[in-house]
Amino acid sequence: MNFLSTFVTFENLHEVRRLCHWGPVIALSVIAICSTMAILDSIIWYWPLDTTGGSINFIMLINWTVLILYNYFNAMFVGPGYIPLGWKPENHQDAQFLQYCRVCQGYKSPRSHHCRKCNRCVMKMDHHCPWINNCCGHTNHAYFTSFLLLAPLGCSHAAIIFIMTMYTQLYERISFGWSTVKIDMSAVRQVQPLMPFSVPAFAATLFALGLALGTTIAVGMLFFIQMKVILRNKTSIESWIEEKAKDRIQHYQTGEDFIFPYDLGSRWLNFKQVFTWSGTPKGDGLEWPVHPKCHQYTLTIEQLKQKADKRVRSQVQYRAVEEYNGACCPLNKGLQTFFRTPCTEEPRIPLSKGDTILATRGTKWWMYGDKVLSEEQMRAGERIRGWFPRRCVEKCHYDTAASDSTSDKKVN
């Protein structure tokens, strides 16, 4: 019993629950279908024991599957790395340059952001990925990007196997005429394959081919997007912060020259910040090497400026005029609201008539904002924000509560 417990008991056993989510279920299903069909079709098309080429093809196929799963599970279970709860900078005076997180009861270190899904402040957060049901951040960025590279390569190899299997198996069963193509699936071949290529096998191969090609295109595009930000030593969130910094400087004509602090000036040096031979990224996730003209808090100071500017320019007060139960796709709010629901895992907030909301962004049919809470709720650190249908609210012609509802203390 003690021998068994050494294998079963480990501190991250609770992380297995990340598999119980639609993202990993779909991702692992696609991997399983493509890998299984590729192995079976390899046996039909290019029997690995007959030729050297067949053996190499089969070994490469197994190799893709192992590497894809290795990087996928590492990206999921190693995790992005979290800021310790209640973290404070060593120099207490530096706290003025940082945002405070009420949920984690601590300050956000440079490059960190609070994830509402993980309910923690994440080191060097890039985004929360539903396919791994975890954040992509400091410690798993290399695993996640490697997965994005290996998945299209493996699916491309599988797609070639699917195409060649269908071609070789159907070649002698297809007769071409001037105006018609006749496929006789019942034709008997002179040499029977080890495994029969029946109509269900053809349908399954065609389905797997569609999955493989779709994965190659979609995941391949994500890989190039990730490499673009990695070679500049940025994250997706930091790219957005940089764009907003330029907009703020242009809007107020401040004459500032914003320099992104973490770009080391060389793509190779930026690349090595994420990818190392050991698999462990450089740094502790709290302090970072910076540009000579910048310091540790250059980006966090810019974030504070953007937060203040957002309160001045973006927050508009609205009052709820219709009830809303918080459904993702409400049927009773119109067809456009139903079909144009935001494609995001960000929450929806239920509304009652008379509720006041400070909207910060929106689309033609939906809006996103913070619900104005009572003083007791605010003292308790409660915050309710999310999406709601635009038709459920109307713009207030006064703005008396906006100043009362925002705190001078920076929160997530």
Side-chain angles (χ1 to χ4, degrees), residues 312-348:
V312 173
R313 288 202 293 164
S314 301
Q315 286 190 340
V316 181
Q317 190 169 337
Y318 287 80
R319 188 172 298 280
V321 294
E322 291 185 23
E323 300 280 340
Y324 169 56
N325 61 4
C328 181
C329 300
L331 290 170
N332 60 342
K333 301 302 179 184
L335 290 177
Q336 292 289 357
T337 302
F338 178 82
F339 288 110
R340 301 292 183 88
T341 183
C343 297
T344 173
E345 288 194 336
E346 290 177 311
R348 275 64 170 170

Side-chain angles (χ1 to χ4, degrees), residues 37-48 57-58 61 161:
M37 288 306 303
I39 291 172
L40 295 177
D41 283 357
S42 291
I43 295 173
I44 296 174
W45 166 56
Y46 209 175
W47 177 239
N57 172 72
F58 196 80
L61 186 61
I161 293 174

Side-chain angles (χ1 to χ4, degrees), residues 18 75 79-80 82 115 117-118 122 125 127-129 132-137 140:
R18 292 192 182 276
Y82 302 109
C115 175
K117 289 292 181 181
C118 298
V122 177
M125 179 178 176
H127 67 289
H128 184 91
C129 178
I132 62 173
N133 194 21
N134 206 341
C135 279
C136 174
N140 67 348

Side-chain angles (χ1 to χ4, degrees), residues 67-79 132 136-150 230 274-281:
L67 288 176
I68 289 171
L69 290 176
Y70 172 80
N71 284 281
Y72 179 82
F73 285 124
N74 270 307
M76 179 186 294
F77 294 126
V78 169
I132 62 173
C136 174
H138 176 56
T139 57
N140 67 348
H141 204 173
Y143 291 121
F144 180 77
T145 309
S146 298
F147 166 73
L148 295 183
L149 171 64
L150 293 167
I230 287 175
V274 176
F275 295 94
T276 61
W277 288 112
S278 64
T280 303

Side-chain angles (χ1 to χ4, degrees), residues 9-303:
T9 303
F10 56 98
E11 62 177 353
N12 290 327
L13 184 61
H14 66 279
E15 291 290 329
V16 176
R17 69 174 183 268
R18 292 192 182 276
L19 293 169
C20 303
H21 183 265
W22 62 266
V25 170
I26 294 177
L28 292 174
S29 297
V30 171
I31 295 172
I33 292 172
C34 291
S35 299
T36 302
M37 288 306 303
I39 291 172
L40 295 177
D41 283 357
S42 291
I43 295 173
I44 296 174
W45 166 56
Y46 209 175
W47 177 239
L49 299 182
D50 284 347
T51 62
T52 303
S55 300
I56 294 175
N57 172 72
F58 196 80
I59 292 172
M60 285 183 62
L61 186 61
I62 299 297
N63 182 62
W64 290 128
T65 303
V66 172
L67 288 176
I68 289 171
L69 290 176
Y70 172 80
N71 284 281
Y72 179 82
F73 285 124
N74 270 307
M76 179 186 294
F77 294 126
V78 169
Y82 302 109
I83 303 298
L85 296 175
W87 180 83
K88 297 179 181 179
E90 292 183 4
N91 185 352
H92 296 295
Q93 293 181 350
D94 292 340
Q96 63 181 314
F97 305 128
L98 300 173
Q99 298 181 76
Y100 185 80
C101 178
R102 288 181 177 175
V103 178
C104 298
Q105 294 294 305
Y107 289 90
K108 300 179 185 179
S109 70
R111 311 191 81 176
S112 68
H113 302 272
H114 186 85
C115 175
R116 290 190 298 273
K117 289 292 181 181
C118 298
N119 204 34
R120 288 290 300 274
C121 287
V122 177
M123 295 178 177
K124 192 190 168 189
M125 179 178 176
D126 186 88
H127 67 289
H128 184 91
C129 178
W131 304 110
I132 62 173
N133 194 21
N134 206 341
C135 279
C136 174
H138 176 56
T139 57
N140 67 348
H141 204 173
Y143 291 121
F144 180 77
T145 309
S146 298
F147 166 73
L148 295 183
L149 171 64
L150 293 167
L153 293 177
C155 286
S156 299
H157 185 190
I160 294 173
I161 293 174
F162 298 146
I163 293 172
M164 293 305 299
T165 301
M166 290 189 290
Y167 173 77
T168 55
Q169 294 300 310
L170 299 180
Y171 180 76
E172 296 181 4
R173 308 180 190 189
I174 303 176
S175 59
F176 295 90
W178 290 102
S179 59
T180 61
V181 177
K182 180 180 179 182
I183 301 178
D184 182 9
M185 295 299 293
S186 62
V188 179
R189 297 188 60 188
Q190 293 181 354
V191 180
Q192 290 290 341
L194 183 65
M195 298 174 60
F197 193 73
S198 58
V199 174
F202 172 77
T205 300
L206 195 61
F207 176 72
L209 175 62
L211 287 179
L213 293 177
T215 301
T216 300
I217 296 172
V219 180
M221 291 175 63
L222 293 176
F223 169 73
F224 283 109
I225 293 172
Q226 281 295 311
M227 285 305 302
K228 183 179 179 180
V229 296
I230 287 175
L231 292 177
R232 297 176 181 177
N233 203 12
K234 297 179 183 177
T235 64
S236 301
I237 295 176
E238 290 167 351
S239 296
W240 176 239
I241 293 173
E242 185 180 27
E243 288 298 320
K244 290 194 293 183
K246 295 176 181 178
D247 291 340
R248 182 187 63 80
I249 293 171
Q250 184 178 6
H251 178 79
Y252 291 106
Q253 296 294 315
T254 61
E256 298 175 62
D257 184 20
F258 178 77
I259 300 174
F260 183 74
Y262 306 114
D263 188 346
L264 303 182
S266 166
R267 292 185 177 182
W268 176 240
L269 292 177
N270 292 337
F271 179 85
K272 290 195 297 182
Q273 290 295 308
V274 176
F275 295 94
T276 61
W277 288 112
S278 64
T280 303
K282 292 184 177 180
D284 59 0
L286 300 175
E287 294 186 1
W288 309 90
V290 296
H291 190 278
K293 294 183 180 180
C294 303
H295 56 80
Q296 284 292 323
Y297 303 109
T298 298
L299 192 67
T300 59
I301 292 173
E302 174 59 32
Q303 289 177 264

